[in-house]
Amino acid sequence: MSDKKIYHLNDKTLKYAAMAQSERLHQYLGLPGEYEAMYPQEITFPNMDTGRVDDYHTTKEGLLIDVEEESKDVTEKTLKKFGKYVIFGEFMYSRKLYIAVICHKDPTNYPEYYERSPSVYIKMHYYYFPQDELWEKYEKVINKVEQKEQLTKIEALDIAFVPKFISKDSAPFVTETLSKAFEDAIINDKILKMDVGVLLGAMIIKNVDKRKQEKLLEDIGMKQIENRIKRLAADEVREAERKNLKLEQDYKQVKEELNQFKEENRQLKENNSKFKEELEKLNNLPNLTPEVKSVINSLIILG
């Protein structure tokens, strides 16, 4: 038995892969709106039951999107689960929700609406890639790479997502050949290429025999990709530090201004108190006319 070390994606890479998949899958499926941010997947219902959505993310237009992936039939039990996710998401994040269900089986006969209650219906949006369509995408990418033609954005994403949605029997072969093609693929957008690479790396770990993983990960430049991710993470840390420093400086300035205001207010109260004392002394002088006393009393009250 071989004792060769099994390759593992590091924590930063896994976190980056999750975020990259959320954003790139949004683009690949053609979901509504412009992707904004990924939200927590763990949820707790009012009765303290817990659950986990496949992907919550928001759009810049203010929409919350729940992407769920189902390898089996969508049943009444499945719809009930989705209904809970929709109700929770809209309540928790105060956003309208769009639920996208990626189906591995043809969803033609699945219900379009789920009756959550007599007055609440939830519309399902199903996404399905027939196997022949996935093979067409695969062949097109392979041919364009061989012809040294630049890939479009969607064709580049095909490299990441065809291995994810192709049948389990074909997944190892497709992942392996697309990994070899990725090395020569012309993808001018550097961030897109890095995202495709890290998603493809996850598919290699999932679909390919462990004996071949190391070589394929080398072929797609996974170590270089991980190094770039580390640099990005370091940049994010530095940016966070700069923001924290700016916040500290702003806080210090506000605190100084507040202290100055407190001191000025103290001086004002002290002067006002002295002024009142002088008015009281003046009010006690003999031979003051009623008019003068009235004016002095008014000043005391105003003070």
Side-chain angles (χ1 to χ4, degrees):
M1 181 181 290
S2 172
D3 58 355
K4 187 174 181 179
K5 183 179 178 181
I6 297 173
Y7 191 95
H8 291 284
L9 302 181
N10 63 48
D11 290 342
K12 284 189 176 69
T13 304
L14 290 171
K15 183 179 179 181
Y16 184 91
M19 293 187 294
Q21 173 160 299
S22 180
E23 180 173 5
R24 297 303 182 178
L25 189 56
H26 178 102
Q27 297 166 354
Y28 194 65
L29 297 177
L31 297 177
E34 184 179 353
Y35 186 93
E36 182 183 44
M38 187 177 179
Y39 273 36
Q41 295 168 285
E42 293 77 14
I43 57 180
T44 303
F45 300 111
N47 64 357
M48 300 311 291
D49 283 349
T50 58
R52 181 181 176 87
V53 300
D54 289 344
D55 175 25
Y56 266 160
H57 68 263
T58 56
T59 69
K60 292 182 179 178
E61 294 77 12
L63 196 64
L64 176 67
I65 294 183
D66 175 16
V67 181
E68 297 294 330
E69 186 172 348
E70 286 297 319
S71 59
K72 299 179 181 179
D73 289 329
V74 174
T75 64
E76 184 69 20
K77 183 178 179 181
T78 315
L79 294 173
K80 185 177 180 181
K81 176 181 67 174
F82 292 164
K84 288 183 177 180
Y85 295 167
V86 171
I87 298 298
F88 174 89
E90 289 195 339
F91 170 77
M92 186 69 183
Y93 300 113
S94 300
R95 290 172 178 250
K96 293 182 178 180
L97 189 142
Y98 180 102
I99 183 164
V101 184
I102 302 170
C103 301
H104 286 248
K105 293 184 177 182
D106 188 348
T108 302
N109 296 322
Y110 295 163
E112 185 178 0
Y113 290 91
Y114 169 61
E115 184 182 348
R116 181 70 174 82
S117 67
S119 296
V120 178
Y121 284 78
I122 298 170
K123 179 175 173 57
M124 300 294 157
H125 301 86
Y126 296 111
Y127 292 82
Y128 172 64
F129 297 101
Q131 291 298 304
D132 57 351
E133 181 182 317
L134 292 170
W135 280 110
E136 287 177 10
K137 290 174 176 288
Y138 167 83
E139 293 290 348
K140 187 174 183 180
V141 168
I142 293 295
N143 290 335
K144 289 192 75 170
V145 172
E146 289 177 349
Q147 297 298 320
K148 301 188 184 304
E149 296 180 31
Q150 181 180 331
L151 299 183
T152 66
K153 180 178 182 178
I154 293 300
E155 288 165 351
L157 291 175
D158 283 335
I159 297 177
F161 291 116
V162 168
K164 178 177 176 62
F165 299 127
I166 202 78
S167 68
K168 288 184 178 180
D169 292 340
S170 301
F173 168 79
V174 167
T175 305
E176 186 173 349
T177 51
L178 283 176
S179 298
K180 293 175 180 177
F182 176 75
E183 186 179 10
D184 299 319
I186 301 175
I187 305 171
N188 287 338
D189 184 331
K190 292 181 180 179
I191 298 298
L192 174 60
K193 186 160 188 176
M194 182 170 72
D195 287 354
V196 171
V198 75
L199 295 176
L200 185 57
M203 288 296 99
I204 291 172
I205 300 296
K206 179 181 177 181
N207 294 335
V208 178
D209 186 283
K210 290 180 174 59
R211 294 171 297 177
K212 298 180 180 180
Q213 287 180 7
E214 189 74 24
K215 176 65 169 60
L216 290 176
L217 290 165
E218 287 177 4
D219 288 344
I220 69 171
M222 181 52 71
K223 282 185 169 55
Q224 291 84 347
I225 291 171
E226 288 192 325
N227 287 336
R228 286 198 291 272
I229 290 171
K230 287 178 182 177
R231 288 197 295 272
L232 281 174
D235 290 341
E236 288 178 358
V237 169
R238 284 193 290 271
E239 180 62 23
E241 288 174 349
R242 283 194 293 269
K243 288 181 179 178
N244 286 338
L245 179 60
K246 180 68 166 58
L247 286 172
E248 288 175 5
Q249 291 171 342
D250 291 345
Y251 173 75
K252 185 178 180 181
Q253 182 178 347
V254 170
K255 190 174 182 181
E256 288 175 354
E257 291 174 355
L258 180 61
N259 289 335
Q260 183 179 349
F261 172 78
K262 286 181 178 178
E263 176 59 24
E264 290 174 354
N265 190 49
R266 186 190 67 77
Q267 288 285 351
L268 184 62
K269 286 182 176 179
E270 185 177 317
N271 292 337
N272 189 46
S273 179
K274 290 180 180 178
F275 178 66
K276 279 187 175 182
E277 288 177 4
E278 294 300 322
L279 287 174
E280 292 285 358
K281 290 178 183 178
L282 184 61
N283 198 32
N284 292 326
L285 290 176
N287 302 321
L288 292 179
T289 66
E291 291 80 4
V292 172
K293 278 185 171 290
S294 177
V295 171
I296 293 173
N297 286 329
S298 297
L299 290 174
I300 292 173
I301 293 172
L302 289 174

